C-alpha cells in the first residue's frame, strides 16, 4: 500500500499533524498552488476556512481527493456543484464550536439586556447615569438553526430561564418549521440566527422580517453573514423597528473599514470570533486526527456533510 | 384606635401607597425635615435608600417609629448604635434584587470572558481584530456572601456550568466559612463580592487579597463599595495582579467625575444599577404594602434584619 498524500490548505500550518509522521505524506497548498496540487492528494484538509480557493480550484482537470475535511462548521466556502456531484466525502468540525458560540450568544443577550455598551460609553464620559435594565428570565428567544450550535444556544438560554423556540429546515420533534418563523419572531425579545448558509437561508432576514419583529427585539447573527440583508438591518435599527443587534459574521469578511455597519446605532460588530475560545485550533486539529485515523483504518467517517443540503443532517 | 402615621423618606414619592388610603396618615420627609418628623411617626419607610439621613436623625430626642422598612437589600446606610439597641424592628427588601443581580453578574462574567469591552473599542476604531476568548463552562467562581443574592448568583453561574463556591459568615451546609476564602480565591477565575457591609466585611478585598488571586482572575463587586479598598484594586489592575474587574458600587456614590477609578485599565464602572430592572420600584412598593398589611393585622413581619449583624439571617 502506498503512503497516502494529505494536502493541507493553510495560511499557518495546523498543530498535531506530527502524530501522523510516517503514515502520510503531508503537503501544503495556498490559494495559488491548490489547483496544481489537488490532483495528487488523497485527502484535503481545509485548515484555512476563510479561503474560497477550494470552490475555485475544484472544477479543474485531473483526479480529486476522496475526502475533504474543513476545520469549520459551515461548508459554504468550499461547496460547488462539481464537488456536490462527486463521490468525494466532505466532513466538518461539528461539535467544536457549539458551547463557545452558545456562551457568546448568552453574553450578547445579557449585555444587551443590562445595557452594557451604554455603561461603557458613560464610563468613558465619566458620567454616573443610573438606568433600569431588563430581566432576562421570562423573556422569549427564537433560535433559527436547529443543528448542534442552535441546540446549544437553546440549552444555554434555557438555563437562564429564557423561553426558547428552535426553528429548523423542517418541523419535527421540539423544532418548529419555517412556516412558524414569522409568528414566533413577532413576539420574540431575542432573534438569533445560527443557521448554515444554504439557498433556503440566504437573505432570510430582510426588511420584511425585521418589520415583523417587536420594537423591543434584539437580533443576533452568529451563523453566516449572507443570512442577513445587511442594509435592511441597518435601516431597521436606524428607524427603531428593533432595539439592537449584534453581528459576528458578514457578507464580506473582514468587514471593510469603510463599511457603514461599524457605526449603525445599536449595532455591535465583532470579527467572526464567537466560536473561537482558547485552544480551539488544537481541538480542531485533534478532531481531524481522530477522523484521519478512522479513514486510515477503513472505518466510516463521522460528521459527514449532506452535500446537497450543505450541513450534517440528523437530530 | 387612632390612624397610624407612615413617614416616607423620599426624593420622589413611591407608587402604590394609594392602596392604604384611609388606613394610614402618610407624611413625607426629606433630609432636612426627617429629624423633626421622626417623633410623630409609627412607621418609617426609607424609600430614598441612597440617603444617610436616618443614621443622622435617629439618635435625636423624642419617640421613635416602632418599625423601619428600607427599600434596599443593604441596611448599612441607616444603621446606628441607637437604632440597633432600640426595640424598633427593621425590615429590608430581601428577594426583589436576587435574580436581577444574579443576571447582572452573569452578564459581566460572560462579557469579560468574551472580551466584549475590547470588541466595542475595536468597533469604534473600525478595526477587525480576531481574538481567542475564554470558555466559561468549567471555570471556577467564588461568591462571597451567602444570602439570597449570593445564592442566586451561585445558581445562575452554576447553570452556565461554572463551578462555584459560596463563602458566608460561618461555615455551614454548602457554604464555606471565611477561613476558606484565601484558598478558594487563589484558584478562582471569578471572585464575586455580594456580601452585606458589616464590620467583618469592610475592606475585606485589600492588597493582600488581590495578591492572592491568579493573574487571570476577574473581580466583581455588586455588594457594597466599602467591601473593597478601591486604591488597592486599582493598583492590582495596573500591576496586572488580576486581569479585569467590575464595580457597580463604590465607597462614595455617585462616583466623583474626578475619581481615578473611571480610567483604571481593565475596570468596568457602573452606577449602582445591578438590581434595578424595569418595574423594580413597583415591586419594592408592592413588597412594602404586603409587609404593611401584616403589620396592620398584627401578624409577624418577614425580612426582619438582625440589627447586630446587619442583614436578615437564615436561609
Amino acid at each position: 500500500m502506498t503512503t497516502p498524500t494529505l494536502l493541507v490548505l493553510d495560511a499557518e500550518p495546523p498543530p498535531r499533524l506530527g502524530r501522523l509522521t510516517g503514515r502520510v505524506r503531508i503537503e501544503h497548498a495556498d490559494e495559488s498552488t491548490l489547483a496544481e496540487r489537488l490532483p495528487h492528494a488523497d485527502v484535503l484538509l481545509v485548515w484555512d476556512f476563510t479561503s474560497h480557493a477550494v470552490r475555485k480550484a475544484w472544477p479543474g482537470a485531473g483526479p480529486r481527493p476522496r475526502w475533504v475535511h474543513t476545520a469549520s462548521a459551515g461548508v459554504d466556502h468550499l461547496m460547488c456543484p462539481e464537488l456536490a456531484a462527486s463521490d468525494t466525502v466532505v466532513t466538518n468540525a461539528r461539535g467544536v464550536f457549539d458551547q463557545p458560540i452558545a456562551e457568546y450568544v448568552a453574553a450578547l443577550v445579557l449585555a444587551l439586556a443590562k445595557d452594557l455598551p451604554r455603561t461603557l460609553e458613560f464610563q468613558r464620559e465619566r458620567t454616573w447615569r443610573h438606568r433600569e435594565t431588563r430581566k432576562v428570565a421570562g423573556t422569549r428567544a427564537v433560535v433559527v438553526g436547529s443543528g448542534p450550535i442552535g441546540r446549544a444556544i437553546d440549552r444555554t438560554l434555557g438555563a437562564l430561564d429564557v423561553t426558547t423556540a428552535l426553528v429548523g429546515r423542517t418541523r419535527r420533534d421540539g423544532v418548529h418549521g419555517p412556516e412558524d418563523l414569522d409568528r414566533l419572531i413577532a413576539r420574540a425579545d431575542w432573534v438569533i440566527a445560527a443557521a448554515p448558509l444554504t439557498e433556503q437561508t440566504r437573505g432570510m432576514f430582510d426588511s420584511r422580517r425585521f418589520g415583523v419583529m417587536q420594537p423591543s427585539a434584539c437580533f443576533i447573527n452568529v451563523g453566516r453573514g449572507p443570512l442577513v440583508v445587511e442594509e435592511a438591518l441597518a435601516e431597521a435599527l436606524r428607524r427603531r423597528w428593533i432595539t439592537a443587534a449584534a453581528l459576528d459574521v458578514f457578507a464580506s469578511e473582514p468587514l471593510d473599514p469603510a463599511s457603514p455597519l461599524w457605526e449603525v446605532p445599536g449595532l455591535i460588530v465583532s470579527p467572526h470570533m464567537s466560536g473561537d475560545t482558547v485552544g480551539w485550533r488544537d481541538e480542531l486539529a485533534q478532531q481531524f486526527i481522530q477522523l484521519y485515523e478512522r479513514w486510515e483504518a477503513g472505518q466510516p467517517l463521522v460528521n459527514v456533510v449532506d452535500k446537497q443540503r450543505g450541513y450534517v443532517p440528523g437530530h
Side-chain angles (χ1 to χ4, degrees), chain A residues 69-276:
Chain A
H69 177 77
T70 178
S72 61
V75 297
D76 46 286
H77 57 297
L78 57 87
M79 291 306 296
C80 58
E82 293 79 2
L83 173 52
S86 74
D87 291 335
T88 295
V89 174
V90 175
T91 57
N92 75 355
R94 180 183 173 100
V96 171
F97 300 105
D98 307 353
Q99 190 58 31
I101 294 180
E103 290 184 354
Y104 196 88
V105 168
L108 290 170
V109 163
L110 284 163
L112 291 171
K114 305 305 175 185
D115 208 22
L116 189 59
R118 282 218 303 161
T119 294
L120 297 171
E121 276 179 42
F122 284 127
Q123 180 176 353
R124 277 202 313 282
E125 299 163 6
R126 295 175 166 251
T127 300
W128 180 274
R129 179 85 47 88
H130 180 277
R131 288 101 64 209
E132 296 183 356
T133 63
R134 294 166 79 178
K135 221 180 272 188
V136 164
T139 59
R140 287 198 187 92
V142 176
V143 181
V144 180
S146 60
I149 293 172
R151 293 202 308 276
I153 295 169
D154 185 62
R155 274 195 308 275
T156 301
L157 294 181
L160 295 168
D161 296 322
V162 174
T163 304
T164 59
L166 263 179
V167 179
R169 185 168 174 269
T170 51
R171 179 190 296 241
R172 54 197 194 277
D173 201 30
V175 178
H176 293 269
E179 64 278 11
D180 293 337
L181 183 59
D182 286 350
R183 182 178 60 77
L184 289 167
I185 63 175
R187 43 181 223 159
D189 300 291
W190 318 101
V191 177
I192 294 141
L197 179 60
T198 66
E199 283 321 300
Q200 284 74 47
T201 62
R202 184 181 294 273
M204 71 185 295
F205 292 101
D206 56 10
S207 270
R208 195 188 63 72
R209 285 254 156 70
F210 293 120
V212 168
M213 296 178 195
Q214 305 186 97
S216 59
C218 298
F219 174 76
I220 294 171
N221 187 10
V222 288
R224 279 291 182 266
L227 302 179
V228 176
V229 180
E230 290 172 346
E231 313 83 69
L233 173 62
E235 195 61 15
L237 286 164
R238 288 197 196 96
R239 292 178 185 271
R240 311 217 179 197
W241 292 0
I242 64 174
T243 290
L247 298 179
D248 188 53
V249 287
F250 298 87
S252 170
E253 295 178 9
L255 187 63
D256 191 316
S259 168
L261 289 176
W262 294 104
E263 291 189 355
V264 172
L267 179 62
I268 297 175
V269 169
S270 61
H272 200 150
M273 58 189 264
S274 71
D276 307 343

